[in-house]
PDB file of all heavy atoms in Angstrom:
ATOM      1  N   PRO A   1      81.295  98.065  57.228  1.00 92.00           N
ATOM      2  CA  PRO A   1      82.202  97.205  56.440  1.00 92.00           C
ATOM      3  C   PRO A   1      81.522  96.565  55.239  1.00 92.00           C
ATOM      4  O   PRO A   1      82.176  96.256  54.247  1.00 92.00           O
ATOM      5  CB  PRO A   1      82.647  96.141  57.459  1.00 92.00           C
ATOM      6  CG  PRO A   1      82.408  96.753  58.795  1.00 92.00           C
ATOM      7  CD  PRO A   1      81.220  97.642  58.635  1.00 92.00           C
ATOM      8  N   GLU A   2      80.201  96.365  55.320  1.00 88.00           N
ATOM      9  CA  GLU A   2      79.483  95.694  54.232  1.00 88.00           C
ATOM     10  C   GLU A   2      78.438  96.606  53.598  1.00 88.00           C
ATOM     11  O   GLU A   2      77.485  96.131  52.990  1.00 88.00           O
ATOM     12  CB  GLU A   2      78.830  94.420  54.773  1.00 88.00           C
ATOM     13  CG  GLU A   2      79.837  93.440  55.351  1.00 88.00           C
ATOM     14  CD  GLU A   2      79.170  92.269  56.043  1.00 88.00           C
ATOM     15  OE1 GLU A   2      77.932  92.209  56.036  1.00 88.00           O
ATOM     16  OE2 GLU A   2      79.901  91.413  56.589  1.00 88.00           O
ATOM     17  N   GLY A   3      78.604  97.918  53.765  1.00 92.00           N
ATOM     18  CA  GLY A   3      77.663  98.865  53.181  1.00 92.00           C
ATOM     19  C   GLY A   3      77.011  99.729  54.245  1.00 92.00           C
ATOM     20  O   GLY A   3      77.311  99.609  55.439  1.00 92.00           O
ATOM     21  N   PRO A   4      76.087 100.627  53.845  1.00 95.00           N
ATOM     22  CA  PRO A   4      75.444 101.535  54.802  1.00 95.00           C
ATOM     23  C   PRO A   4      74.661 100.774  55.875  1.00 95.00           C
ATOM     24  O   PRO A   4      74.024  99.754  55.596  1.00 95.00           O
ATOM     25  CB  PRO A   4      74.500 102.363  53.922  1.00 95.00           C
ATOM     26  CG  PRO A   4      75.049 102.235  52.542  1.00 95.00           C
ATOM     27  CD  PRO A   4      75.661 100.876  52.465  1.00 95.00           C
ATOM     28  N   MET A   5      74.718 101.287  57.102  1.00 96.00           N
ATOM     29  CA  MET A   5      74.012 100.687  58.229  1.00 96.00           C
ATOM     30  C   MET A   5      73.305 101.802  59.004  1.00 96.00           C
ATOM     31  O   MET A   5      73.808 102.919  59.102  1.00 96.00           O
ATOM     32  CB  MET A   5      74.978  99.970  59.177  1.00 96.00           C
ATOM     33  CG  MET A   5      75.813  98.887  58.545  1.00 96.00           C
ATOM     34  SD  MET A   5      76.922  98.113  59.756  1.00 96.00           S
ATOM     35  CE  MET A   5      75.749  97.173  60.733  1.00 96.00           C
ATOM     36  N   SER A   6      72.161 101.483  59.578  1.00 97.00           N
ATOM     37  CA  SER A   6      71.451 102.438  60.425  1.00 97.00           C
ATOM     38  C   SER A   6      71.619 102.046  61.884  1.00 97.00           C
ATOM     39  O   SER A   6      72.028 100.916  62.199  1.00 97.00           O
ATOM     40  CB  SER A   6      69.961 102.465  60.071  1.00 97.00           C
ATOM     41  OG  SER A   6      69.338 101.249  60.450  1.00 97.00           O
ATOM     42  N   GLU A   7      71.291 102.980  62.767  1.00 97.00           N
ATOM     43  CA  GLU A   7      71.293 102.661  64.204  1.00 97.00           C
ATOM     44  C   GLU A   7      70.389 101.462  64.479  1.00 97.00           C
ATOM     45  O   GLU A   7      70.747 100.558  65.242  1.00 97.00           O
ATOM     46  CB  GLU A   7      70.808 103.862  65.007  1.00 97.00           C
ATOM     47  CG  GLU A   7      71.761 105.021  65.085  1.00 97.00           C
ATOM     48  CD  GLU A   7      71.193 106.137  65.949  1.00 97.00           C
ATOM     49  OE1 GLU A   7      70.887 105.882  67.133  1.00 97.00           O
ATOM     50  OE2 GLU A   7      71.050 107.260  65.431  1.00 97.00           O
ATOM     51  N   ALA A   8      69.205 101.466  63.847  1.00 97.00           N
ATOM     52  CA  ALA A   8      68.258 100.366  64.068  1.00 97.00           C
ATOM     53  C   ALA A   8      68.846  99.036  63.628  1.00 97.00           C
ATOM     54  O   ALA A   8      68.658  98.007  64.294  1.00 97.00           O
ATOM     55  CB  ALA A   8      66.945 100.649  63.337  1.00 97.00           C
ATOM     56  N   ASP A   9      69.576  99.031  62.508  1.00 97.00           N
ATOM     57  CA  ASP A   9      70.210  97.795  62.018  1.00 97.00           C
ATOM     58  C   ASP A   9      71.201  97.257  63.047  1.00 97.00           C
ATOM     59  O   ASP A   9      71.222  96.050  63.345  1.00 97.00           O
ATOM     60  CB  ASP A   9      70.943  98.054  60.699  1.00 97.00           C
ATOM     61  CG  ASP A   9      70.015  98.420  59.560  1.00 97.00           C
ATOM     62  OD1 ASP A   9      68.853  97.982  59.598  1.00 97.00           O
ATOM     63  OD2 ASP A   9      70.454  99.140  58.646  1.00 97.00           O
ATOM     64  N   ILE A  10      72.046  98.147  63.565  1.00 98.00           N
ATOM     65  CA  ILE A  10      73.092  97.719  64.497  1.00 98.00           C
ATOM     66  C   ILE A  10      72.472  97.210  65.795  1.00 98.00           C
ATOM     67  O   ILE A  10      72.890  96.177  66.330  1.00 98.00           O
ATOM     68  CB  ILE A  10      74.068  98.880  64.771  1.00 98.00           C
ATOM     69  CG1 ILE A  10      74.779  99.293  63.488  1.00 98.00           C
ATOM     70  CG2 ILE A  10      75.092  98.479  65.831  1.00 98.00           C
ATOM     71  CD1 ILE A  10      75.677 100.508  63.636  1.00 98.00           C
ATOM     72  N   LEU A  11      71.468  97.926  66.302  1.00 98.00           N
ATOM     73  CA  LEU A  11      70.843  97.510  67.561  1.00 98.00           C
ATOM     74  C   LEU A  11      70.109  96.180  67.396  1.00 98.00           C
ATOM     75  O   LEU A  11      70.142  95.327  68.291  1.00 98.00           O
ATOM     76  CB  LEU A  11      69.883  98.603  68.049  1.00 98.00           C
ATOM     77  CG  LEU A  11      70.556  99.889  68.529  1.00 98.00           C
ATOM     78  CD1 LEU A  11      69.521 100.984  68.761  1.00 98.00           C
ATOM     79  CD2 LEU A  11      71.352  99.637  69.807  1.00 98.00           C
ATOM     80  N   TRP A  12      69.456  95.985  66.241  1.00 98.00           N
ATOM     81  CA  TRP A  12      68.774  94.719  65.997  1.00 98.00           C
ATOM     82  C   TRP A  12      69.782  93.571  65.891  1.00 98.00           C
ATOM     83  O   TRP A  12      69.564  92.483  66.434  1.00 98.00           O
ATOM     84  CB  TRP A  12      67.933  94.802  64.729  1.00 98.00           C
ATOM     85  CG  TRP A  12      67.136  93.555  64.475  1.00 98.00           C
ATOM     86  CD1 TRP A  12      67.487  92.508  63.673  1.00 98.00           C
ATOM     87  CD2 TRP A  12      65.880  93.211  65.061  1.00 98.00           C
ATOM     88  NE1 TRP A  12      66.527  91.530  63.711  1.00 98.00           N
ATOM     89  CE2 TRP A  12      65.526  91.938  64.552  1.00 98.00           C
ATOM     90  CE3 TRP A  12      65.024  93.855  65.946  1.00 98.00           C
ATOM     91  CZ2 TRP A  12      64.341  91.304  64.915  1.00 98.00           C
ATOM     92  CZ3 TRP A  12      63.841  93.222  66.307  1.00 98.00           C
ATOM     93  CH2 TRP A  12      63.513  91.966  65.799  1.00 98.00           C
ATOM     94  N   ASP A  13      70.888  93.829  65.209  1.00 98.00           N
ATOM     95  CA  ASP A  13      71.927  92.805  65.076  1.00 98.00           C
ATOM     96  C   ASP A  13      72.529  92.464  66.444  1.00 98.00           C
ATOM     97  O   ASP A  13      72.743  91.288  66.759  1.00 98.00           O
ATOM     98  CB  ASP A  13      73.020  93.301  64.137  1.00 98.00           C
ATOM     99  CG  ASP A  13      74.144  92.291  63.971  1.00 98.00           C
ATOM    100  OD1 ASP A  13      73.970  91.332  63.197  1.00 98.00           O
ATOM    101  OD2 ASP A  13      75.190  92.454  64.643  1.00 98.00           O
ATOM    102  N   LEU A  14      72.775  93.483  67.255  1.00 98.00           N
ATOM    103  CA  LEU A  14      73.324  93.247  68.592  1.00 98.00           C
ATOM    104  C   LEU A  14      72.348  92.443  69.441  1.00 98.00           C
ATOM    105  O   LEU A  14      72.739  91.488  70.140  1.00 98.00           O
ATOM    106  CB  LEU A  14      73.646  94.579  69.266  1.00 98.00           C
ATOM    107  CG  LEU A  14      74.123  94.526  70.718  1.00 98.00           C
ATOM    108  CD1 LEU A  14      75.360  93.643  70.863  1.00 98.00           C
ATOM    109  CD2 LEU A  14      74.410  95.938  71.231  1.00 98.00           C
ATOM    110  N   ALA A  15      71.059  92.798  69.372  1.00 98.00           N
ATOM    111  CA  ALA A  15      70.035  92.053  70.128  1.00 98.00           C
ATOM    112  C   ALA A  15      69.975  90.603  69.658  1.00 98.00           C
ATOM    113  O   ALA A  15      69.826  89.678  70.470  1.00 98.00           O
ATOM    114  CB  ALA A  15      68.674  92.728  69.970  1.00 98.00           C
ATOM    115  N   SER A  16      70.104  90.385  68.350  1.00 98.00           N
ATOM    116  CA  SER A  16      70.061  89.019  67.808  1.00 98.00           C
ATOM    117  C   SER A  16      71.264  88.200  68.273  1.00 98.00           C
ATOM    118  O   SER A  16      71.135  87.005  68.583  1.00 98.00           O
ATOM    119  CB  SER A  16      70.021  89.065  66.275  1.00 98.00           C
ATOM    120  OG  SER A  16      68.869  89.757  65.827  1.00 98.00           O
ATOM    121  N   ARG A  17      72.430  88.825  68.336  1.00 98.00           N
ATOM    122  CA  ARG A  17      73.625  88.124  68.808  1.00 98.00           C
ATOM    123  C   ARG A  17      73.480  87.763  70.288  1.00 98.00           C
ATOM    124  O   ARG A  17      73.867  86.658  70.714  1.00 98.00           O
ATOM    125  CB  ARG A  17      74.873  88.987  68.588  1.00 98.00           C
ATOM    126  CG  ARG A  17      75.238  89.143  67.135  1.00 98.00           C
ATOM    127  CD  ARG A  17      76.331  90.181  66.889  1.00 98.00           C
ATOM    128  NE  ARG A  17      76.468  90.429  65.462  1.00 98.00           N
ATOM    129  CZ  ARG A  17      77.262  89.753  64.645  1.00 98.00           C
ATOM    130  NH1 ARG A  17      78.036  88.790  65.137  1.00 98.00           N
ATOM    131  NH2 ARG A  17      77.314  90.025  63.360  1.00 98.00           N
ATOM    132  N   LEU A  18      72.945  88.681  71.075  1.00 98.00           N
ATOM    133  CA  LEU A  18      72.727  88.400  72.490  1.00 98.00           C
ATOM    134  C   LEU A  18      71.669  87.322  72.669  1.00 98.00           C
ATOM    135  O   LEU A  18      71.831  86.390  73.476  1.00 98.00           O
ATOM    136  CB  LEU A  18      72.309  89.682  73.206  1.00 98.00           C
ATOM    137  CG  LEU A  18      72.033  89.577  74.708  1.00 98.00           C
ATOM    138  CD1 LEU A  18      73.247  89.038  75.458  1.00 98.00           C
ATOM    139  CD2 LEU A  18      71.627  90.944  75.274  1.00 98.00           C
ATOM    140  N   GLU A  19      70.593  87.412  71.888  1.00 98.00           N
ATOM    141  CA  GLU A  19      69.525  86.410  71.956  1.00 98.00           C
ATOM    142  C   GLU A  19      70.065  85.022  71.599  1.00 98.00           C
ATOM    143  O   GLU A  19      69.740  84.024  72.264  1.00 98.00           O
ATOM    144  CB  GLU A  19      68.396  86.788  71.002  1.00 98.00           C
ATOM    145  CG  GLU A  19      67.242  85.792  71.010  1.00 98.00           C
ATOM    146  CD  GLU A  19      66.238  86.056  69.907  1.00 98.00           C
ATOM    147  OE1 GLU A  19      66.641  86.592  68.849  1.00 98.00           O
ATOM    148  OE2 GLU A  19      65.063  85.702  70.085  1.00 98.00           O
ATOM    149  N   GLY A  20      70.893  84.932  70.555  1.00 97.00           N
ATOM    150  CA  GLY A  20      71.437  83.638  70.145  1.00 97.00           C
ATOM    151  C   GLY A  20      72.273  82.994  71.233  1.00 97.00           C
ATOM    152  O   GLY A  20      72.159  81.787  71.487  1.00 97.00           O
ATOM    153  N   ARG A  21      73.101  83.773  71.895  1.00 96.00           N
ATOM    154  CA  ARG A  21      73.945  83.233  72.973  1.00 96.00           C
ATOM    155  C   ARG A  21      73.099  82.812  74.169  1.00 96.00           C
ATOM    156  O   ARG A  21      73.362  81.774  74.788  1.00 96.00           O
ATOM    157  CB  ARG A  21      74.986  84.271  73.375  1.00 96.00           C
ATOM    158  CG  ARG A  21      76.113  84.425  72.365  1.00 96.00           C
ATOM    159  CD  ARG A  21      76.912  85.694  72.592  1.00 96.00           C
ATOM    160  NE  ARG A  21      78.122  85.727  71.774  1.00 96.00           N
ATOM    161  CZ  ARG A  21      78.122  86.040  70.479  1.00 96.00           C
ATOM    162  NH1 ARG A  21      76.982  86.339  69.865  1.00 96.00           N
ATOM    163  NH2 ARG A  21      79.267  86.050  69.797  1.00 96.00           N
ATOM    164  N   MET A  22      72.116  83.626  74.508  1.00 97.00           N
ATOM    165  CA  MET A  22      71.276  83.283  75.653  1.00 97.00           C
ATOM    166  C   MET A  22      70.444  82.037  75.384  1.00 97.00           C
ATOM    167  O   MET A  22      70.275  81.177  76.256  1.00 97.00           O
ATOM    168  CB  MET A  22      70.373  84.463  76.007  1.00 97.00           C
ATOM    169  CG  MET A  22      71.111  85.622  76.657  1.00 97.00           C
ATOM    170  SD  MET A  22      69.985  86.957  77.161  1.00 97.00           S
ATOM    171  CE  MET A  22      71.076  87.898  78.260  1.00 97.00           C
ATOM    172  N   THR A  23      69.929  81.924  74.165  1.00 96.00           N
ATOM    173  CA  THR A  23      69.139  80.741  73.798  1.00 96.00           C
ATOM    174  C   THR A  23      70.011  79.487  73.820  1.00 96.00           C
ATOM    175  O   THR A  23      69.590  78.419  74.303  1.00 96.00           O
ATOM    176  CB  THR A  23      68.517  80.933  72.405  1.00 96.00           C
ATOM    177  OG1 THR A  23      67.682  82.098  72.411  1.00 96.00           O
ATOM    178  CG2 THR A  23      67.688  79.721  72.016  1.00 96.00           C
ATOM    179  N   ALA A  24      71.241  79.602  73.331  1.00 94.00           N
ATOM    180  CA  ALA A  24      72.148  78.450  73.303  1.00 94.00           C
ATOM    181  C   ALA A  24      72.465  77.950  74.704  1.00 94.00           C
ATOM    182  O   ALA A  24      72.718  76.758  74.907  1.00 94.00           O
ATOM    183  CB  ALA A  24      73.436  78.824  72.575  1.00 94.00           C
ATOM    184  N   ILE A  25      72.423  78.849  75.679  1.00 94.00           N
ATOM    185  CA  ILE A  25      72.767  78.466  77.042  1.00 94.00           C
ATOM    186  C   ILE A  25      71.542  77.990  77.820  1.00 94.00           C
ATOM    187  O   ILE A  25      71.648  77.587  78.984  1.00 94.00           O
ATOM    188  CB  ILE A  25      73.464  79.646  77.751  1.00 94.00           C
ATOM    189  CG1 ILE A  25      74.569  79.156  78.685  1.00 94.00           C
ATOM    190  CG2 ILE A  25      72.473  80.531  78.503  1.00 94.00           C
ATOM    191  CD1 ILE A  25      75.543  80.241  79.094  1.00 94.00           C
ATOM    192  N   GLY A  26      70.362  78.041  77.145  1.00 94.00           N
ATOM    193  CA  GLY A  26      69.155  77.506  77.759  1.00 94.00           C
ATOM    194  C   GLY A  26      68.204  78.538  78.335  1.00 94.00           C
ATOM    195  O   GLY A  26      67.216  78.168  78.995  1.00 94.00           O
ATOM    196  N   MET A  27      68.441  79.807  78.083  1.00 96.00           N
ATOM    197  CA  MET A  27      67.554  80.839  78.606  1.00 96.00           C
ATOM    198  C   MET A  27      66.354  81.027  77.683  1.00 96.00           C
ATOM    199  O   MET A  27      66.437  80.801  76.476  1.00 96.00           O
ATOM    200  CB  MET A  27      68.304  82.169  78.751  1.00 96.00           C
ATOM    201  CG  MET A  27      69.544  82.087  79.626  1.00 96.00           C
ATOM    202  SD  MET A  27      70.442  83.653  79.755  1.00 96.00           S
ATOM    203  CE  MET A  27      69.435  84.517  80.948  1.00 96.00           C
ATOM    204  N   ASP A  28      65.222  81.421  78.253  1.00 97.00           N
ATOM    205  CA  ASP A  28      64.033  81.766  77.474  1.00 97.00           C
ATOM    206  C   ASP A  28      64.124  83.253  77.135  1.00 97.00           C
ATOM    207  O   ASP A  28      64.051  84.106  78.021  1.00 97.00           O
ATOM    208  CB  ASP A  28      62.753  81.501  78.273  1.00 97.00           C
ATOM    209  CG  ASP A  28      62.571  80.022  78.577  1.00 97.00           C
ATOM    210  OD1 ASP A  28      63.028  79.198  77.771  1.00 97.00           O
ATOM    211  OD2 ASP A  28      61.980  79.707  79.629  1.00 97.00           O
ATOM    212  N   THR A  29      64.318  83.563  75.869  1.00 98.00           N
ATOM    213  CA  THR A  29      64.526  84.949  75.460  1.00 98.00           C
ATOM    214  C   THR A  29      63.366  85.443  74.606  1.00 98.00           C
ATOM    215  O   THR A  29      62.759  84.687  73.841  1.00 98.00           O
ATOM    216  CB  THR A  29      65.830  85.098  74.665  1.00 98.00           C
ATOM    217  OG1 THR A  29      65.791  84.246  73.518  1.00 98.00           O
ATOM    218  CG2 THR A  29      67.035  84.745  75.520  1.00 98.00           C
TER     219      THR A  29
END
């Protein structure tokens, strides 16, 4: 939607979104 993306970009973004939610809930990520 915002230009070309690679598999690595998507996986890193997904990991960052998961990390952010886990950190917000108090987990050590």
Side-chain angles (χ1 to χ4, degrees):
E2 300 173 2
M5 303 180 72
S6 69
E7 288 182 58
D9 294 332
I10 297 175
L11 291 170
W12 184 264
D13 179 79
L14 175 57
S16 300
R17 290 170 189 271
L18 180 57
E19 180 189 29
R21 286 165 170 79
M22 288 184 165
T23 301
I25 217 163
M27 303 179 79
D28 296 330
T29 58

